[in-house]
Amino acid sequence: MTGKLIAVANMKGGVGKTTTVVMLAEALAADGAKVLVVDLDPQASVSVCLAGDELLAEMIEKGRTLEAYLALKLINKQKPALAARIHGQVSLTTHKGEPLALSLLPSGPYLRMVEREIIYELTGQKYSMHAIEGQLWKVFQDDFVPLAETYDYILLDCAPGISPMTEIAVRGADLVLVTSIPDFLSTYGLNAFVETIWRRSSKQGSRLAPKSAPHVLVTRYQHQVRQHRETLERLSAEAEAEDAGFKLLRTRVPQAAALADALVPSDVSPTFSAKYGVHVSNVLIPLVEEVKGILHGS
């Protein structure tokens, strides 16, 4: 069975995107899957969380990052090997006495600059924006999609907003998870994201329209906060409407210190159950089952 591509995105930052990518990647790996995380965010948050400062600095110095690959491929017109930028066995977390089968294609601080340089370079060669989009789409299809033959799941950690690589990833993914805190500002960004990517593509008949509607994952949920409860009720009602622009996952990721602590790189090798505690059964297992059900139709 071919692996599945999952893009995790939102227009707004600070909505639990990196937390979701790390915990979902490790939960899928603990479930027995072979997982690759691709960092499309120039902040490199997920790269730091998984690899740590020292290893990430080494990978940046050696050019083993996403932006180094893109620069060589689209600006210097070389034929770099994408697989050479993937670091295997990157997580220190273990499960049942074995390290998680989790790999990382990291990004570094120059990703956004490289994206701009690609646009400048191709524009200088008289490429239209439509043609530039086509070039990025071709790279995604030729080099990223085939990775699904090696990995069961590929998680694409997208940058906040809509960068060129984020847009391609969202349009090419089998599942798009949009993380959102249930409050006014976060859901405002959600509506803008859905309108820009899904509704506009549908109206324009874009050839790069996403495969399916996005699935919203509520994060940092606090039941005791009235705004959170009321916003969640509104999201549930909107998701059930006939013209709904998104679907709502049943799983809720709570605001919890243990989940925040799970992002901090450790010098020791924690077990999966010790790292996430009660959230394994309350959040991670339900989330994995829900994601698998969406992707595999069960």
Side-chain angles (χ1 to χ4, degrees):
M1 182 180 294
T2 303
K4 300 295 185 180
L5 282 73
I6 304 171
V8 182
N10 199 334
M11 288 279 284
K12 188 179 184 302
V15 291
K17 183 172 59 63
T18 297
T19 302
T20 298
V21 172
V22 172
M23 71 179 190
L24 179 57
E26 294 196 326
L28 287 167
D31 191 53
K34 189 175 182 182
V35 181
L36 169 66
V37 172
V38 178
D39 195 347
L40 301 178
D41 189 342
Q43 296 178 83
S45 297
V46 78
S47 295
V48 172
C49 290
L50 291 175
D53 286 325
E54 187 174 336
L55 177 57
L56 180 58
E58 178 184 333
M59 297 177 79
I60 292 173
E61 182 180 355
K62 293 181 177 179
R64 293 179 59 192
T65 60
L66 174 64
E67 71 265 28
Y69 164 80
L70 291 173
L72 290 172
K73 180 91 174 183
L74 293 174
I75 298 176
N76 297 338
K77 306 301 182 183
Q78 298 182 20
K79 296 181 178 180
L82 184 61
R85 273 86 189 166
I86 295 174
H87 193 288
Q89 219 67 56
V90 73
S91 175
L92 291 176
T93 306
T94 63
H95 185 59
K96 296 181 179 179
E98 298 291 335
L100 296 178
L102 181 55
S103 300
L104 171 69
L105 174 56
S107 73
Y110 305 112
L111 177 57
R112 184 71 76 238
M113 183 178 69
V114 168
E115 286 181 326
R116 289 202 304 268
E117 288 300 321
I118 289 171
I119 293 174
Y120 296 155
E121 176 70 20
L122 296 182
T123 300
Q125 297 177 30
K126 308 302 182 184
Y127 279 76
S128 66
M129 288 305 298
H130 183 77
I132 293 173
E133 182 183 67
Q135 286 291 305
L136 290 171
W137 181 253
K138 186 176 187 305
V139 169
F140 184 81
Q141 291 295 319
D142 291 350
D143 298 347
F144 286 80
V145 173
L147 294 172
E149 297 175 7
T150 302
Y151 299 94
D152 299 306
Y153 298 97
I154 300 173
L155 272 67
L156 306 162
D157 183 29
C158 300
I162 305 177
S163 70
M165 287 304 297
T166 292
E167 187 163 359
I168 293 298
V170 165
R171 296 186 189 283
D174 298 296
L175 168 64
V176 180
L177 293 180
V178 181
T179 57
S180 183
I181 301 171
D183 61 24
F184 172 75
L185 287 177
S186 298
T187 54
Y188 184 84
L190 163 64
N191 292 332
F193 194 49
V194 170
E195 179 65 30
T196 302
I197 298 292
W198 281 267
R199 294 190 188 278
R200 189 169 299 175
S201 296
S202 178
K203 291 175 183 177
Q204 296 174 350
S206 172
R207 63 188 177 88
L208 298 184
K211 297 179 180 180
S212 60
H215 287 70
V216 174
L217 174 65
V218 170
T219 58
R220 299 186 180 176
Y221 179 61
Q222 300 178 68
H223 181 74
Q224 70 274 20
V225 177
R226 186 177 68 178
Q227 183 184 176
H228 283 205
R229 296 196 306 272
E230 292 177 347
T231 303
L232 181 55
E233 290 177 6
R234 176 174 59 79
L235 289 174
S236 298
E238 290 180 5
E240 293 296 326
E242 289 187 7
D243 61 345
F246 61 88
K247 299 179 181 180
L248 186 64
L249 294 184
R250 297 184 303 275
T251 306
R252 313 280 181 251
V253 180
Q255 176 74 35
L259 294 178
D261 290 343
L263 297 183
V264 181
S266 174
D267 293 329
V268 298
S269 297
T271 65
F272 179 70
S273 58
K275 184 174 184 177
Y276 293 102
V278 297
H279 301 296
V280 171
S281 58
N282 295 342
V283 178
L284 298 185
I285 291 177
L287 179 59
V288 164
E289 291 305 312
E290 199 167 2
V291 166
K292 288 168 61 178
I294 295 168
L295 288 171
H296 304 296
S298 59

